[in-house]
């Protein structure tokens, strides 16, 4: 099938081309994000392959459908950037990669927890400057601390398993508790109880209308003073301004973000020669106890191989009229 691949980086191309040897699709790579201005590039392509920050709202989907596109193949798990109702009404099939490596994201989550707690980012810079003082680098033992996991699906479950290894107590909040987490020792509690009892809170729920700004001022006020807050799910699960205020007051002791609610204009690009115009993001960068990575939690070799393989298999299923197990539908 002829596929317009948007938001392509060199690594996307490398892994997709390698996997495509077994599929034979015609992949045309476009560097720009998919949005209202660039949707014209997909004219005549029956399939469009998109990523996390591509814009798949009703306007873009209407343009794509008018130009002959019938399939949206997301090469990511989250689909919060797709207007599914519009896709359905336009007859556009949407497929995704539901699990490519929960380990990649879970391990990055733990990397953020460990780096923030033991101030590795600061120690690295200090030692290179010949500063071997330890003031300001004090951490705490993870052993016997309480980790609250919001969203105990595939990634949350791996996080639970890893943190269990550190000897942590595990709390979980999820509308659909899972038995594997219970076996690992996750105790399911209300959101309020998780906020109150956790030393570390890590977010692994999808971005939905229910989880939008789940972490707001009210939620932050319930948390322990000095809580470690980690978000590798989707940026808008956190109200960024609220978390900035909570970091200024000391309520949030450490903040680790791999995602940011306005990341679309920033992440996956080299902006190092430019002045960052987003003042909220710029403020976040000033905190010594904040680590931000640019949506790289998924970025392992194994994950990219799986993403490429599943994306192309999804496209083949649709091309050959087979039911695709990774189709995204809305229940109405
Ligand atoms: P998953 O579907 O396996 O698990 C999500 C869990 O969240 C489910 O158990 C679901 O019941 C739960 N959930 C739904 N609504 C909730 C709510 N209101 N409160 C608490 N829990 C709720 O998904 P996953 O593979 O574990 O991925 C989780 C999220 O991680 C994805 O939605 C995606 O946004 C994000 N993600 C980020 C990266 C990255 O690189 N940073 C990569 C992959 C996925």
């Amino acid at each position: 099938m002829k596929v317009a691949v948007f938001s392509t980086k060199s690594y996307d191309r490398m892994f997709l081309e390698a996997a495509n040897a077994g599929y034979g699709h015609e992949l045309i790579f476009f560097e720009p994000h998919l949005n209202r201005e660039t949707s014209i590039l997909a004219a005549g392509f029956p399939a469009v392959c998109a990523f996390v920050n591509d814009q798949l709202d009703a306007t873009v989907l209407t343009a794509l459908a008018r130009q002959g596109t019938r399939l949206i193949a997301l090469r990511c798990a989250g689909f919060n950037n797709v207007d599914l109702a519009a896709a359905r009404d336009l007859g556009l099939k949407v497929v995704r990669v539901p699990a490519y490596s929960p380990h990649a994201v879970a391990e990055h989550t733990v990397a953020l927890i460990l780096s923030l707690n033991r101030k590795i980012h600061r120690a690295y810079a200090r030692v290179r400057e010949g500063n071997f003082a330890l003031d300001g680098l004090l951490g705490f033992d993870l052993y016997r601390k309480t980790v609250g996991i919001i969203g105990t699906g595939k990634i949350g479950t791996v996080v639970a398993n890893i943190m269990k290894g550190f000897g942590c107590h595990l709390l979980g909040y999820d509308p659909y508790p899972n038995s594997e987490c219970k076996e690992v020792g996750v105790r399911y509690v209300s959101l309020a109880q998780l906020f109150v009892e956790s030393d570390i809170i890590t977010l692994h729920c999808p971005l939905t209308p229910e989880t939008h700004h789940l972490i707001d001022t009210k939620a932050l006020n319930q948390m322990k003073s000095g809580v470690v807050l980690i978000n590798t799910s989707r940026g808008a699960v956190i109200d960024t301004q609220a978390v900035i205020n909570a970091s200024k007051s000391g309520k949030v002791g450490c903040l680790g973000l791999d995602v940011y609610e306005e990341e679309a204009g920033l992440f996956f690009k080299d902006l190092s020669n430019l002045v960052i115009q987003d003042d909220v993001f710029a403020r976040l960068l000033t905190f010594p106890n904040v680590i931000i990575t640019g949506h790289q939690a998924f970025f392992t070799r194994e994950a990219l191989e799986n993403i490429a393989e599943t994306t192309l298999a999804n496209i083949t299923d649709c091309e050959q009229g087979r039911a695709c197990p990774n189709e995204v539908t809305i229940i109405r």
Side-chain angles (χ1 to χ4, degrees):
M1 202 179 238
K2 197 173 166 196
V3 189
V5 185
F6 281 87
S7 300
T8 310
K9 300 289 182 194
S10 57
Y11 43 83
D12 296 311
R13 191 179 182 131
M14 188 170 97
F15 284 92
L16 281 165
E17 280 181 339
N20 198 37
Y23 289 92
H25 293 295
E26 188 184 342
L27 306 179
I28 309 295
F29 296 97
F30 297 108
E31 210 174 305
H33 284 322
L34 172 60
N35 56 35
R36 292 171 192 194
E37 285 72 46
T38 60
S39 57
I40 186 70
L41 293 168
F45 284 79
V48 161
C49 180
F51 195 49
V52 287
N53 290 323
D54 287 321
Q55 188 186 352
L56 291 141
D57 60 14
T59 308
V60 171
L61 293 173
T62 304
L64 293 177
R66 203 181 320 116
Q67 292 169 176
T69 295
R70 288 285 158 261
L71 173 65
I72 307 293
L74 300 172
R75 53 180 195 280
C76 52
F79 47 85
N80 52 286
N81 55 336
V82 186
D83 185 332
L84 289 177
R88 179 199 55 197
D89 295 346
L90 291 160
L92 284 166
K93 195 175 275 209
V94 180
V95 294
R96 66 176 180 134
V97 185
Y100 39 85
S101 175
H103 297 278
V105 182
E107 289 168 15
H108 191 79
T109 300
V110 178
L112 288 174
I113 294 171
L114 290 170
S115 302
L116 282 162
N117 176 30
R118 305 308 294 267
K119 329 286 183 222
I120 301 298
H121 55 304
R122 301 187 65 198
Y124 173 80
R126 275 192 198 184
V127 169
R128 288 171 72 92
E129 291 289 318
N131 176 358
F132 305 102
L134 298 184
D135 312 68
L137 302 185
L138 191 66
F140 58 82
D141 288 5
L142 287 174
Y143 180 62
R144 290 201 168 155
K145 293 299 180 298
T146 299
V147 179
I149 303 170
I150 300 181
T152 57
K154 290 178 285 294
I155 296 169
T157 301
V158 179
V159 170
N161 274 292
I162 298 173
M163 297 316 290
K164 174 82 177 168
F166 284 106
C168 293
H169 301 299
L170 303 171
L171 298 180
Y173 172 76
D174 194 307
Y176 303 97
N178 94 46
S179 53
E180 187 182 342
C181 277
K182 285 183 189 164
E183 278 161 30
V184 174
V186 173
R187 188 159 56 88
Y188 281 96
V189 293
S190 68
L191 202 48
Q193 196 176 343
L194 185 147
F195 289 152
V196 170
E197 291 185 20
S198 300
D199 301 294
I200 298 165
I201 295 178
T202 181
L203 305 175
H204 302 291
C205 54
L207 175 61
T208 63
E210 292 75 44
T211 63
H212 184 265
H213 286 190
L214 184 79
I215 306 300
D216 59 5
T217 302
K218 188 166 163 255
L220 288 158
N221 284 341
Q222 296 172 67
M223 294 178 193
K224 283 189 184 178
S225 194
V227 66
V228 176
L229 180 61
I230 308 290
N231 187 11
T232 61
S233 65
R234 283 291 180 268
V237 177
I238 286 184
D239 176 347
T240 311
Q241 191 54 56
V243 97
I244 286 175
N245 296 340
S247 300
K248 283 166 74 177
S249 74
K251 176 62 112 173
V252 169
C254 296
L255 177 66
L257 301 178
D258 185 53
V259 286
Y260 167 60
E261 52 185 328
E262 301 300 332
E263 71 178 49
L266 294 168
F267 288 2
F268 306 116
K269 297 174 193 147
D270 178 0
L271 304 179
S272 55
N273 286 322
L274 302 174
V275 174
I276 289 181
Q277 299 297 316
D278 181 333
D279 289 347
V280 174
F281 188 78
R283 182 68 179 99
L284 276 175
L285 294 177
T286 66
F287 291 97
N289 52 350
V290 174
I291 296 182
I292 305 176
T293 52
H295 208 138
Q296 72 170 81
F298 74 100
F299 200 57
T300 65
R301 198 168 36 242
E302 291 78 4
L304 291 193
E305 280 166 4
N306 289 337
I307 288 172
E309 184 64 33
T310 306
T311 300
L312 298 173
N314 288 343
I315 294 169
T316 299
D317 280 347
C318 297
E319 183 180 37
Q320 298 184 354
R322 280 197 297 270
C324 176
N326 300 323
E327 185 170 349
V328 188
T329 48
I330 43 171
I331 305 149
R332 280 252 171 106

